[in-house]
Amino acid sequence: MRTILFILQKEFRQLFRDKTMLPIIFIIPVFQLVILSFTATFEIKHTRLVVVDQDRSAESRELISRFKGSAFYIVTAQAETYQQAAEFLKNGDADQLIVIPENFERNIINHTSTDLLLVTDAINGSAASLMSAYAMAIINNFNQYLIVEQMPSVTHTEPIGIESSYWYNPRLNYLTYMVPGILVLLVTIIAMFLSGMNVVKEKELGTIEQINVTPILKYQFIIGKLLPFWMVAMFELLFGLAIARFLFQVPFLGSLPLLLGVAAVYLLVVLGFGLFVSTVADTMQQSMFISWFLLVVFILMSGLFTPVESMPDWAQYLNKLNPVSYFIKINRMIMLKGSGFSDFSNLFYTLVVYAAAVLSLSVWRYKKVA
Amino acid sequence: MKQQPAVVANDLTKSYKSQLALKKVSFQIENGELFGFIGPDGAGKTTLFHLLTTLLIPDTGSASVRGFDTVADYAAIRKIVGYMPGRFSLYQDLTVEENLNFFAGIFNTTIAENYHLIEDIYKQIEPFKTRRAGKLSGGMKQKLALSCALIHKPEVLFLDEPTTGVDAVSRMEFWEMLRKLKQQGITIVVSTPYMDEAALCDRVALMQNGEIMLTNTPQRIVDGFKGELLAVSSDNMFDLLHQLENIPDTAAAYRFGDRIHYVSERNIDPEIIQKALASSGQKNVVIEPITPVIEDCFIMLMKSKSKNDPN
């Protein structure tokens, strides 16, 4: 036990003495949390729309005014022809164009159907589908109005009325959705990189040669190496939660001790990965790249940006191996839903098994190598 | 209890992939000895030290330190040996005092407890005890590393090339420190590429290409030198080596400092050499019989080995 304390003392001394690493550990996460939370949003406001109104009728103006009235749209220009409008899209001066054909109003009055052309810049696919959906919503709305206005004789009570309400995030606030996930990400980065680099640093500087010819036991060395980063990451999580709660007013409905308990286990998984990386790598540079590779895969598949449910089946199966996705899910449940332990006990037990597996694998591998 | 010898090795062999680093190395080091492994870079000294300090496992053969097997009883060995790697291996971002404290701590002792052992050495760096180890000069780093290797009062001290890259004065100081430590009863095993340091050891083993060529006291090694050693110099040193090699029955001719050392297969009269060189156009030839040193013995051993074993 005394031996572990000596190692801990040494590790913390080195950590707090490192003029480059210290700011990275404590300031950059704050920056990331603040910047990412504001910028990682999928809401598309101010879609720039070009209108080609070939009808110039009351009905066409009515439709255009509906776009103008929407918070999601700015009508940047009116073009004479489709070609002119397409030019705007091509130059990146507009995101969407709509063509209202001649005889738009006449067809409506004659009760014959009419068509609209809607073109969306789809370089960013998810943004495009959102813009398209916004446009559809406005046009559908307009359709409803036409039915009521043009055919008053028919009764228009719809067979099924839809009353929708949004639970857990009633105002569909993206910040509320993103912050719990970003917190997980930051904690993961800190724990993984620091633990992955640390043992390798001793290898690279040759200090491990001296350490290995001492009575320090492997388990003491590993605990002494991982515990400091476990503590730093836990501190980081609390710090981030405080920022989320008080700076972004993200709700925190669940229990804090419960979240910390899950985090404690989750971090063991991440530290296990870090330790594993450091047994594979010989230099800090290698360690950086392996950690980065693992993290990018974990993060992209984690459900932070895109829902896991929309991934192909194989990716969803693969995701069962992704610790980040577990913790993001649990963290969102605790923070936003106020879920209790029984709501995610399966996920938690999986994490426990995962932690045990990864840690024993990397400790076994560490022994073999060193 | 019967006193176990400090270090015993039987047919130690170790290879890295296809490269054979040590070939069937055997020796015994007695308690209280100052034992030196002398050989050029690549002779296998560091590999041997890694095997003895439990950092590596031998392919075949075995070794023991104070009766503990280096593989089976590695944990016991780690408690009783001090090790100073060839490369500076302390924490550069910790201060002198913190490094020493850390190593005392993990050996479950304190600086105060064994201060008497390191006093002579540590006193010299104590004024800089709040300085980071990375900011120390080479000589001071070496003293700190030695202090850290000694702080737990080891029974056997392994020093892998402790004087490599250290200036001549510091080297002599360092050997003086080792002599004092030996008086405290610590067995010291040291490796060095510097032949002149061999004379400072009680016994030495001459190593080359992963093998021990000879183990003996420095005096006996020198006494065992076969033939008469002559030191030759002239105005035209450039051609001299070649001309000497062409004299019949030459055993060896090699540069040594600013002269050429010459050994013949038979007891040759220096006059004959004089004449031979003069006929080749050499002027001011000086030939002087001298007593060989370890390096001469080493070179002769290497020559006879490569003759017997053309590979």
Side-chain angles (χ1 to χ4, degrees):
Chain A
M1 193 57 217
R2 253 184 95 234
T3 309
I4 298 179
L5 286 179
F6 272 105
I7 303 174
L8 284 180
Q9 182 194 35
K10 170 189 95 72
E11 289 300 325
F12 275 112
R13 268 186 181 147
Q14 289 183 300
L15 190 66
F16 285 103
R17 201 161 285 175
D18 196 326
K19 291 277 176 294
T20 326
M21 287 296 272
L22 205 60
I24 292 180
I25 296 173
F26 291 102
I27 297 172
I28 293 183
V30 179
F31 261 82
Q32 286 196 353
L33 192 64
V34 172
I35 293 171
L36 260 179
S37 301
F38 278 118
T39 53
T41 163
F42 282 161
E43 283 173 15
I44 300 183
K45 288 178 179 157
H46 320 304
T47 301
R48 293 162 304 168
L49 179 75
V50 179
V51 178
V52 184
D53 185 357
Q54 294 169 338
D55 197 41
R56 295 180 190 282
S57 62
E59 295 297 359
S60 69
R61 274 192 295 273
E62 172 62 24
L63 179 60
I64 293 164
S65 75
R66 279 166 188 259
F67 274 100
K68 280 181 177 163
S70 161
F72 296 111
Y73 279 97
I74 297 174
V75 176
T76 45
Q78 302 253 7
E80 293 303 322
T81 63
Y82 167 75
Q83 279 74 16
Q84 277 177 19
E87 204 59 24
F88 279 93
L89 231 62
K90 194 176 163 194
N91 297 336
D93 294 327
D95 306 306
Q96 214 169 26
L97 69 86
I98 188 166
V99 181
I100 303 172
E102 274 179 76
N103 305 330
F104 180 67
E105 192 179 47
R106 205 178 68 196
N107 285 343
I108 290 171
I109 293 167
N110 294 343
H111 296 197
T112 37
S113 78
T114 181
D115 295 316
L116 286 173
L117 175 65
L118 187 68
V119 179
T120 308
D121 175 355
I123 281 182
N124 181 341
S126 58
S129 56
L130 267 175
M131 289 188 281
S132 176
Y134 292 154
M136 295 303 212
I138 291 173
I139 296 165
N140 270 336
N141 209 291
F142 181 68
N143 244 341
Q144 293 291 323
Y145 147 85
L146 287 180
I147 293 169
V148 176
E149 193 186 62
Q150 300 297 325
M151 296 173 262
S153 51
V154 194
T155 44
H156 305 288
T157 44
E158 291 172 47
I160 301 172
I162 300 169
E163 184 81 14
S164 52
S165 68
Y166 299 102
W167 280 20
Y168 312 125
N169 187 1
R171 275 183 285 166
L172 293 181
N173 186 346
Y174 231 84
L175 214 61
T176 305
Y177 176 68
M178 289 306 284
V179 165
I182 287 169
L183 273 176
V184 171
L185 215 132
L186 290 178
V187 173
T188 310
I189 291 174
I190 290 286
M192 182 119 169
F193 275 90
L194 288 184
S195 62
M197 299 269 271
N198 190 278
V199 180
V200 177
K201 187 177 169 193
E202 299 240 359
K203 265 198 231 173
E204 205 173 338
L205 296 179
T207 51
I208 199 143
E209 197 178 324
Q210 185 91 62
I211 288 288
N212 280 344
V213 191
T214 66
I216 292 182
L217 301 171
K218 297 276 186 231
Y219 86 91
Q220 293 171 327
F221 186 67
I222 290 171
I223 292 177
K225 281 284 172 194
L226 296 189
L227 202 54
F229 306 120
W230 185 88
M231 292 195 219
V232 169
M234 285 299 266
F235 168 81
E236 203 102 311
L237 178 64
L238 275 173
F239 193 40
L241 277 173
I243 296 177
R245 185 76 197 86
F246 300 111
L247 196 64
F248 298 118
Q249 334 266 279
V250 172
F252 192 99
L253 302 177
S255 137
L256 182 62
L258 182 63
L259 179 61
L260 293 181
V262 177
V265 174
Y266 168 73
L267 282 173
L268 292 181
V269 181
V270 180
L271 291 172
F273 269 105
L275 184 65
F276 186 81
V277 168
S278 67
T279 62
V280 178
D282 289 322
T283 65
M284 290 196 265
Q285 199 179 32
Q286 289 175 2
S287 164
M288 279 288 284
F289 273 99
I290 301 172
S291 298
W292 184 237
F293 170 75
L294 279 175
L295 270 177
V296 166
V297 175
F298 283 166
I299 289 169
L300 287 180
M301 295 188 66
S302 67
L304 176 63
F305 300 111
T306 49
V308 176
E309 289 75 14
S310 61
M311 296 175 191
D313 282 346
W314 62 265
Q316 293 196 32
Y317 281 121
L318 211 60
N319 234 336
K320 296 205 188 300
L321 287 174
N322 183 354
V324 181
S325 82
Y326 286 90
F327 192 36
I328 287 187
K329 204 163 176 183
I330 296 178
N331 197 19
R332 279 178 180 155
M333 284 171 85
I334 295 178
M335 285 180 70
L336 308 181
K337 271 187 179 174
S339 301
F341 181 72
S342 55
D343 296 321
F344 56 76
S345 56
N346 277 345
L347 296 176
F348 179 76
Y349 292 135
T350 314
L351 273 183
V352 172
V353 173
Y354 205 158
V358 172
L359 274 177
S360 23
L361 177 73
S362 44
V363 169
W364 170 77
R365 175 115 192 139
Y366 176 80
K367 278 185 175 166
K368 227 182 122 189
V369 173
Chain B
M1 201 182 87
K2 190 176 161 279
Q3 212 26 324
Q4 296 278 2
V7 185
V8 181
N10 293 312
D11 291 342
L12 277 180
T13 301
K14 179 79 192 173
S15 49
Y16 300 103
K17 302 234 165 83
S18 61
Q19 183 71 38
L20 201 57
L22 276 185
K23 293 173 212 163
K24 294 202 159 212
V25 168
S26 302
F27 56 86
Q28 178 163 337
I29 300 173
E30 304 304 331
N31 284 299
E33 250 190 318
L34 174 48
F35 193 96
F37 287 95
I38 319 281
D41 293 345
K45 303 188 297 291
T46 298
T47 304
L48 179 62
F49 272 57
H50 281 178
L51 288 170
L52 296 178
T53 54
T54 75
L55 288 171
L56 284 176
I57 294 172
D59 297 341
T60 58
S62 65
S64 65
V65 177
R66 300 281 288 191
F68 296 111
D69 185 81
T70 53
V71 179
D73 311 317
Y74 72 93
I77 292 178
R78 289 178 184 182
K79 288 196 183 101
I80 57 162
V81 303
Y83 173 48
M84 186 173 150
R87 185 173 157 205
F88 183 68
S89 297
L90 301 176
Y91 295 100
Q92 314 242 5
D93 45 359
L94 294 184
T95 66
V96 168
E97 202 178 17
E98 284 165 351
N99 265 302
L100 197 55
N101 254 321
F102 174 68
F103 282 98
I106 57 178
F107 277 103
N108 224 337
T109 180
T110 57
I111 296 183
E113 202 173 315
N114 291 317
Y115 190 73
H116 64 279
L117 209 57
I118 58 162
E119 193 177 359
D120 281 347
I121 307 156
Y122 188 59
K123 256 195 317 204
Q124 303 173 48
I125 48 173
E126 213 164 7
F128 312 102
K129 64 182 183 185
T130 54
R131 190 182 289 187
R132 301 215 179 148
K135 299 252 188 291
L136 293 175
S137 71
M140 286 201 284
K141 276 182 180 163
Q142 181 202 43
K143 282 171 190 138
L144 176 59
L146 185 58
S147 301
C148 288
L150 278 171
I151 193 63
H152 60 290
K153 201 174 188 311
E155 294 174 22
V156 183
L157 187 59
F158 290 95
L159 307 169
D160 190 9
E161 300 203 6
T163 52
T164 299
V166 178
D167 67 79
V169 176
S170 298
R171 268 169 62 191
M172 284 305 116
E173 271 179 26
F174 192 80
W175 279 94
E176 187 56 31
M177 289 189 277
L178 294 189
R179 230 175 37 75
K180 283 186 184 160
L181 286 173
K182 184 178 123 71
Q183 284 163 6
Q184 307 243 22
I186 297 174
T187 308
I188 302 170
V189 184
V190 63
S191 75
T192 176
Y194 301 120
M195 303 283 166
D196 56 327
E197 291 181 349
L200 304 167
C201 301
D202 293 337
R203 282 198 304 148
V204 296
L206 301 184
M207 288 186 79
Q208 166 78 5
N209 291 331
E211 285 175 290
I212 292 182
M213 299 189 292
L214 184 65
T215 308
N216 217 327
T217 64
Q219 190 55 50
R220 288 217 184 110
I221 289 178
V222 172
D223 291 348
F225 188 84
K226 289 190 187 70
E228 200 179 353
L229 184 66
L230 301 170
V232 186
S233 65
S234 76
D235 282 354
N236 182 358
M237 293 298 283
F238 186 75
D239 294 327
L240 185 58
L241 183 63
H242 189 61
Q243 289 159 354
L244 280 169
E245 276 170 349
N246 285 339
I247 294 174
D249 294 330
T250 294
Y254 48 89
R255 282 175 212 281
F256 196 104
D258 53 1
R259 294 196 283 187
I260 286 170
H261 283 188
Y262 178 80
V263 188
S264 176
E265 296 279 4
R266 58 196 168 92
N267 261 342
I268 195 169
D269 188 349
E271 281 301 311
I272 298 170
I273 302 173
Q274 275 283 11
K275 276 177 191 152
L277 292 177
S279 68
S280 316
Q282 285 285 3
K283 288 186 183 109
N284 289 328
V285 175
V286 181
I287 301 178
E288 192 187 352
I290 51 163
T291 14
V293 291
I294 297 279
E295 190 164 352
D296 294 303
C297 304
F298 192 93
I299 291 169
M300 289 311 288
L301 277 170
M302 267 170 57
K303 298 239 178 214
S304 66
K305 253 202 119 52
S306 58
K307 252 181 218 160
N308 298 338
D309 172 19
N311 296 326

